[in-house]
Amino acid sequence: MRLLLVEDDRLLADGLTGQLEKAGFSIDWTGTAREAVSFGKHDDYRAVVLDLGLPDGSGLEVLKTWRANQINVPVLILTARGDWQDKVNGLKAGADDYLAKPFQTEELIARLNAIIRRSEGRVQSLLKAGGFELDENRQSLRLPDGSEHSLTGTEFRLLRCLMSRPGQVFSKEQLMEQLYNLNDTPSDNVIEAYIRRLRKLVGPESILTRRGQGYLFNEAV
Amino acid sequence: MKLFSKPSSVKGTLLALLLPAGIGLMALAWVVHGLLLDRMSRDFVESRLKDEVAFLEHQIRQAGGAVDSLNTGDYFQEVFHHAFAIRSPSETLISPSAWQPLLAPLLTMDSEGSVRIQGAEFSGAPSDILAYRKAFMVDGTPIVVIVSEDFGALKRSQTELHAWTAVVSVLLILLLVGVIWIGINLAMRPVVSIKGALTRLQDGEISRIGVRAPEEFRPLVQQLNQLLDSLDHRLERSRDALANLSHSVKTPISALRQILEDTERPLDASLRQQMASRLSDIDTQLEAEMRRSRFAGPQVGKSANPLTQARDLLWMLGRLYPDKSFELASSLPEDCRWAIEEHDLNEILGNLLDNAGKWSDSFVELSLEEVSGKPWISVIDDGPGVPEQELAKLGQRGVRLDEQTPGHGLGLAIVQDIVGRYGGRLGFAARTPAGLHVQVTL
């Protein structure tokens, strides 16, 4: 399995290369953001380990460039900053996982394997309805104005269900199946609360209520 | 182009407001004075004319209507400073004769009372007069009497008086401006002294503002001093923290160098182990100090939007643990803000959710609410939970209930720290059938 390692610290890179090769990866190494951008264009990498603090730029920018060019290889970010906001920003830029330095090589390898496994059989799948785009991999929704919103699991599943067949009425019972709840008997109000929250995102006209029947996604807005 | 640009200084504002107001009010007073003067003098003249007409009428009645027998000699000249005209069917009398063209038409009018004639152009006669006309019967003969006065002369003296009033008004305005100016300057003196104190503060001559400020500025000065206090405090804290850190980091570093520089010494497994654990210690110390130095604690003017931050964190954890469900339950409005610094809130939510994510079986729920106006956070998971007797130990620094999970065991201790700094409470409870329920009130 070919793997791209982007890390500017030679000592760390050499050590990692040795240990990753032992674990069965073949490693290409680069220490600059400029090279990383062009290396990423080769499509034979199964995964990338990307350090955020590069001498000639930020790893986040490299990642954004890749993602903008439809390079969907799984990426694990390495950084010395363990701030929650940094983690969020990293994942928003398109990373799949995150490891704070210093880390143990075993953990890195375990996580690499996990994101590679997760990416297998993954295809770029966008669900489009009425100007909205639901990104299945990123579990996010792009509005017609281009802004992207992250969704929680249940919000995502409900919206995916409604957007999969615009115009079809889904009963509360059908939508209930998308829920995962701690209570064995989720109440109708839970669905209503989620619908309310989704309407705030997509606008009140996009999800219509059919009294006594259920809800439908209206793409003619 | 703006008609009025707002003056930027208090002084400017006061002057811009008070000066035109003072001048305007003075001008108004002067105009009103003019109008009143006009009315008063006219009323006065009119009543005099009326009296004289009554006197003449009395004279004529005494004379039994014989107008010619009236004594129009010296006596009249003395009593009357006014022109008069008397008409009976037999004759007409007008004195002085120069007023003839003015008064003659009035005799033939049929209105009673006072008449004002302006802009008449006859030589020898004034152009602006006020006359009083009365018609009556004496023993069956109709008599008309008119007495009139040159109003122009009166107007001239009146104008002079009015002009003097204007002069006095202008003087008063100047005085008023002076008083306003002095008043503003006196009122602004504390501001000037505060300004001076700020300059001295900038130059480092003083470390706190000790000006006896007036009541309006006292909170400002207090705020400034508090801010300076907290800055000093923070500097001191970060110096202490750095000193501690450097001390605790340098020892293991020198130990490690010692080992590496000793070329004779073989690096066996146990030595490697020791070195690695020394390095881990350094890292743990660094991490703990870094995190502690990063949180801000309660601060004026800092607030966070809990919903946006919670959404981002939940989404991120959902990506990191793809087979677990992270849900948000909240009835807060979208634009709600909590008086807690953003980074601090992130640290609380992130640590609690990350823990729940690590331990949960398949489900984590975060609830954000306000209980009696105070922020309330709750995180529940469906993991194995913590035994009742261990609950009390949670959140104590350095206590890790499970050595197998990655992490420093710092998470809950950090949450405890931050919550403590906001004067809040962190509580743990076991859930049935399994799982942990963490509650934070701020």
Side-chain angles (χ1 to χ4, degrees):
Chain A
M1 284 199 280
R2 281 184 83 73
L3 189 139
L4 176 62
L5 172 63
V6 186
E7 165 61 63
D8 58 317
D9 185 309
R10 276 311 292 262
L11 193 62
L12 179 59
D14 288 348
L16 271 180
T17 304
Q19 291 188 282
L20 287 169
E21 279 173 346
K22 268 189 215 156
F25 293 99
S26 60
I27 310 292
D28 287 1
W29 170 83
T30 172
T32 64
R34 205 170 40 81
E35 273 190 343
V37 170
S38 60
F39 274 38
K41 294 199 174 87
H42 303 298
D43 55 1
D44 52 355
Y45 293 119
R46 297 295 300 282
V48 180
V49 176
L50 174 65
D51 181 44
L52 289 191
L54 296 171
D56 62 336
S58 153
L60 272 190
E61 292 309 314
V62 175
L63 182 53
K64 283 179 186 161
T65 314
W66 284 342
R67 295 306 189 221
N69 293 327
Q70 307 302 323
I71 297 167
N72 293 317
V73 58
V75 172
L76 186 144
I77 330 183
L78 294 182
T79 170
R81 298 182 51 181
D83 216 313
W84 290 107
Q85 197 54 50
D86 293 334
K87 295 185 189 181
V88 169
N89 293 344
L91 265 81
K92 281 202 162 178
D96 295 78
D97 203 352
Y98 185 103
L99 209 48
K101 290 176 182 177
F103 50 85
Q104 304 207 306
T105 317
E106 295 84 25
E107 193 177 353
L108 174 68
I109 290 167
R111 294 212 188 184
L112 274 175
N113 283 323
I115 61 172
I116 290 169
R117 241 197 338 274
R118 247 190 276 160
S119 72
E120 277 161 5
R122 189 167 77 178
V123 283
Q124 182 72 1
S125 60
L126 286 177
L127 185 55
K128 296 184 189 179
F132 297 97
E133 284 181 12
L134 196 62
D135 186 328
E136 307 234 0
N137 296 328
R138 315 218 357 94
Q139 201 177 297
S140 63
L141 177 77
R142 189 183 290 278
L143 303 187
D145 65 10
S147 60
E148 198 170 293
H149 293 267
S150 45
L151 303 169
T152 68
T154 307
E155 289 170 356
F156 170 73
R157 286 192 299 273
L158 278 179
L159 197 55
R160 185 176 54 187
C161 180
L162 288 166
M163 280 174 73
S164 63
R165 296 202 193 120
Q168 184 189 317
V169 179
F170 290 90
S171 69
K172 277 192 180 169
E173 289 70 32
Q174 282 171 302
L175 293 177
M176 212 77 93
E177 288 166 17
Q178 306 296 328
L179 282 189
Y180 179 90
N181 198 291
L182 279 181
N183 310 334
D184 300 333
T185 51
S187 58
D188 286 2
N189 314 348
V190 178
I191 292 283
E192 277 164 22
Y194 275 112
I195 294 285
R196 254 203 309 279
R197 223 188 286 171
L198 288 174
R199 274 185 178 146
K200 269 186 195 142
L201 271 179
V202 299
E205 300 300 312
S206 295
I207 300 176
L208 300 178
T209 311
R210 287 273 179 273
R211 278 217 183 286
Q213 300 174 49
Y215 300 95
L216 65 96
F217 192 85
N218 172 23
E219 54 179 349
V221 177
Chain B
M1 167 85 195
K2 265 169 74 173
L3 198 61
F4 296 106
S5 66
K6 222 175 148 173
S8 59
S9 72
V10 183
K11 219 176 198 166
T13 314
L14 283 171
L15 281 175
L17 199 76
L18 291 176
L19 280 187
I23 291 169
L25 287 173
M26 270 304 191
L28 186 70
W30 183 69
V31 169
V32 169
H33 169 262
L35 292 172
L36 285 176
L37 200 67
D38 234 17
R39 240 189 79 175
M40 236 172 57
S41 55
R42 186 179 161 150
D43 282 356
F44 172 70
V45 171
E46 216 171 84
S47 74
R48 265 208 349 220
L49 293 176
K50 226 168 161 171
D51 287 350
E52 282 172 18
V53 168
F55 174 77
L56 268 178
E57 184 184 350
H58 177 75
Q59 292 272 327
I60 292 167
R61 281 186 196 283
Q62 289 235 316
V67 178
D68 51 349
S69 70
L70 277 179
N71 186 354
T72 52
D74 296 343
Y75 162 76
F76 252 66
Q77 294 301 326
E78 271 171 38
V79 173
F80 281 166
H81 311 285
H82 301 149
F84 64 94
I86 304 170
R87 192 189 66 176
S88 68
S90 54
E91 63 175 312
T92 303
L93 199 81
I94 295 183
S95 157
S97 51
W99 288 49
Q100 162 91 29
L102 265 177
L103 297 183
L106 288 183
L107 288 170
T108 54
M109 275 174 45
D110 52 2
S111 70
E112 290 279 287
S114 62
V115 187
R116 176 90 181 266
I117 298 176
Q118 281 171 293
E121 299 282 346
F122 301 108
S123 62
S127 62
D128 185 359
I129 60 163
L130 184 70
Y132 193 87
R133 178 181 187 279
K134 187 165 184 193
F136 49 91
M137 305 288 268
V138 181
D139 308 333
T141 42
I143 307 274
V144 177
V145 175
I146 295 178
V147 181
S148 77
E149 183 172 354
D150 177 359
F151 209 72
L154 191 79
K155 260 217 120 48
R156 276 189 291 281
S157 63
Q158 193 183 310
T159 312
E160 198 181 337
L161 176 65
H162 200 39
W164 274 111
T165 315
V167 171
V168 171
S169 293
V170 169
L171 284 176
L172 275 177
I173 285 179
L174 289 177
L175 252 173
L176 187 71
V177 169
V179 168
I180 287 176
W181 181 257
I182 290 168
I184 289 176
N185 274 328
L186 277 178
M188 295 304 288
R189 255 166 74 181
V191 180
V192 175
S193 71
I194 288 178
K195 206 165 148 185
L198 283 173
T199 316
R200 291 219 308 284
L201 187 73
Q202 245 169 350
D203 298 344
E205 291 169 35
I206 51 174
S207 66
R208 293 287 178 277
I209 300 171
V211 182
R212 280 204 42 72
E215 210 172 315
E216 293 86 346
F217 293 109
R218 222 162 278 163
L220 179 71
V221 171
Q222 268 171 1
Q223 276 283 349
L224 273 172
N225 280 336
Q226 264 172 18
L227 197 64
L228 289 168
D229 279 344
S230 83
L231 276 175
D232 274 7
H233 201 68
R234 197 164 290 186
L235 183 65
E236 216 168 296
R237 261 218 319 262
S238 73
R239 276 201 185 130
D240 281 353
L242 278 175
N244 288 340
L245 185 64
S246 122
H247 178 78
S248 58
V249 165
K250 286 202 162 159
T251 315
I253 288 180
S254 55
L256 288 167
R257 288 196 59 145
Q258 210 67 46
I259 294 170
L260 290 171
E261 281 166 8
D262 186 355
T263 46
E264 306 294 305
R265 196 168 173 181
L267 268 179
D268 56 20
S270 89
L271 202 52
R272 277 173 189 270
Q273 186 74 47
Q274 279 182 49
M275 288 170 72
S277 87
R278 278 307 180 83
L279 282 168
S280 305
D281 287 351
I282 293 179
D283 177 47
T284 311
Q285 289 278 2
L286 263 175
E287 186 66 20
E289 278 309 333
M290 281 292 301
R291 290 192 160 213
R292 215 167 328 155
S293 71
R294 271 203 303 249
F295 44 78
Q299 269 186 10
V300 182
K302 291 278 184 195
S303 71
N305 180 329
L307 291 179
T308 340
Q309 286 183 226
R311 277 175 180 286
D312 277 348
L313 286 166
L314 287 169
W315 171 81
M316 176 186 84
L317 289 161
R319 308 277 73 213
L320 294 179
Y321 301 96
D323 46 357
K324 295 178 185 180
S325 184
F326 290 84
E327 288 308 324
L328 172 67
S330 170
S331 58
L332 295 174
E334 281 299 320
D335 56 354
C336 137
R337 294 197 79 83
W338 283 356
I340 169 170
E341 204 267 335
E342 256 178 43
H343 184 276
D344 291 355
L345 182 60
N346 249 344
E347 201 68 41
I348 293 175
L349 293 174
N351 282 310
L352 294 182
L353 289 171
D354 192 43
N355 268 343
K358 252 179 228 164
W359 291 101
S360 70
D361 182 33
S362 57
F363 186 83
V364 174
E365 186 175 61
L366 166 70
S367 308
L368 301 172
E369 296 298 344
E370 276 179 11
V371 179
S372 57
K374 289 205 169 89
W376 177 85
I377 302 167
S378 128
V379 177
I380 52 179
D381 67 71
D382 60 353
V386 176
E388 204 72 50
Q389 63 274 16
E390 302 275 9
L391 282 178
K393 287 193 201 162
L394 283 177
Q396 289 174 13
R397 187 170 289 284
V399 174
R400 290 182 56 194
L401 295 178
D402 180 32
E403 300 288 335
Q404 301 310 307
T405 49
H408 298 289
L410 272 173
L412 283 179
I414 286 170
V415 174
Q416 183 85 7
D417 259 0
I418 299 177
V419 171
R421 208 167 285 192
Y422 283 88
R425 270 198 62 255
L426 171 66
F428 303 94
R431 295 185 62 247
T432 49
L436 184 65
H437 183 186
V438 187
Q439 276 192 66
V440 174
T441 38
L442 289 171

